[in-house]
Amino acid sequence: MNFEGFFRQIGEFDLEEPRKKILELTEEDWNSEAWRQKTYPVHQQTQTISLIFDKDFRHSNPTIHPRYEEFKDALAPTLQKVVAYFNQMPIAQENKATYGDGFFVRLIIVKLRDDGIVHPHGDGGFSLMHSHRVHMPVFVEGEVLFKIGPEVRTLEAGTIWEINNKCLHAVKNVSGKPRIHVIADWVIPGERCCCGKRLRPDGNCSPEDCHATDNMRMPCECLSMVV
């Protein structure tokens, strides 16, 4: 989701249990899914484990995969911090009575290979523009350069970040070791993206109404930002 800025740290988490569980994954496990990296060339140097994910990038009724049960206990304390952060936001409190509680619409574990690159791209589509993209680095050793707009950071293991995924972003792993993040998309039901607020100030966002703006291949000027 677009917001004023590029990165915002929303918390920290204990690495012990997530690391222990991820280290149980075999190379066969990591190779068992290839849809994301084959479908999106920018992600071709990554591997993915899907916990909550749908290929149609729906915005409700997400599919919970069997592996979620394997990881839910190890990730629960971390995910609870994400939930608490977004639940305290005024928009979440305002919308709850009408639209209900927030939820994770996607949750994946992504490995970027040693010396791998995620090529520059900006996310589009209704759900990606109406959910909050959260990165939770679990294994980061050395420099992994995460660039959003003009800003470059190495996100340290054990920190929790929301990123502005509308902006052009890319990753370059120069550490010589794989980088593994847990990546989540959190939905605050009824929340409109910045384009929706600007173009439909008195209405609601819907996939149909927002299709044109959510898939713009031009700079979004809603927040006077260069993307």
Side-chain angles (χ1 to χ4, degrees):
M1 178 165 277
N2 208 0
F3 59 84
E4 197 75 62
F6 304 100
F7 299 87
R8 54 185 177 197
Q9 186 173 353
I10 64 177
E12 298 181 351
F13 67 98
D14 190 298
L15 287 163
E16 182 177 0
E17 292 303 318
R19 280 184 169 178
K20 185 186 304 182
K21 195 64 187 174
I22 288 173
L23 285 173
E24 293 178 5
L25 293 168
T26 65
E27 197 56 35
E28 183 179 0
D29 292 327
W30 283 110
N31 290 328
S32 64
E33 298 181 48
W35 181 85
R36 185 171 178 265
Q37 50 265 40
K38 287 183 177 180
T39 304
Y40 301 101
V42 296
H43 297 304
Q44 64 185 356
Q45 296 181 28
T46 68
Q47 295 169 292
T48 303
I49 302 291
S50 295
L51 307 183
I52 302 173
F53 188 79
D54 292 277
K55 293 179 181 179
D56 61 5
F57 285 86
R58 66 188 63 177
H59 200 58
S60 61
N61 302 314
T63 300
I64 300 176
H65 293 255
R67 284 199 183 275
Y68 175 78
E69 291 298 318
E70 299 176 25
F71 281 89
K72 69 176 184 179
D73 290 341
L75 295 179
T78 306
L79 298 181
Q80 286 167 5
K81 292 187 176 185
V82 176
V83 173
Y85 175 83
F86 288 113
N87 279 348
Q88 57 81 36
M89 293 179 71
I91 186 66
Q93 296 176 19
E94 293 167 9
N95 284 13
K96 182 175 180 177
T98 302
Y99 298 102
D101 292 323
F103 57 91
F104 290 106
V105 73
R106 282 170 292 277
L107 180 65
I108 58 178
I109 304 170
V110 178
K111 178 196 289 186
L112 175 62
R113 76 185 194 194
D114 49 305
D115 301 320
I117 294 173
V118 175
H119 295 282
H121 67 287
D123 294 342
F126 182 84
S127 188
L128 288 174
M129 289 298 92
H130 291 78
S131 55
H132 296 266
R133 171 56 58 92
V134 178
H135 277 251
M136 294 155 273
V138 181
F139 288 96
V140 182
E141 299 185 48
E143 282 194 319
V144 181
L145 306 176
F146 199 147
K147 182 177 183 181
I148 306 179
E151 188 172 345
V152 181
R153 292 176 178 264
T154 292
L155 306 185
E156 295 183 4
T159 56
I160 306 172
W161 297 83
E162 181 179 5
I163 71 160
N164 190 329
N165 62 321
K166 179 75 174 181
C167 297
L168 196 68
H169 54 282
V171 185
K172 184 176 183 181
N173 186 356
V174 295
S175 71
K177 297 182 179 180
R179 181 214 75 170
I180 301 177
H181 282 197
V182 175
I183 303 175
D185 288 328
W186 177 261
V187 173
I188 297 175
E191 184 176 21
R192 291 181 289 166
C193 70
C194 59
C195 292
K197 291 178 182 178
R198 175 170 60 88
L199 299 176
R200 292 171 293 280
D202 299 321
N204 294 320
C205 283
S206 71
E208 296 75 22
D209 293 339
C210 295
H211 178 78
T213 53
D214 290 344
N215 290 281
M216 287 191 301
R217 291 296 179 262
M218 62 183 75
C220 174
E221 299 177 353
C222 298
L223 298 177
S224 300
M225 297 170 57
V226 176
V227 300

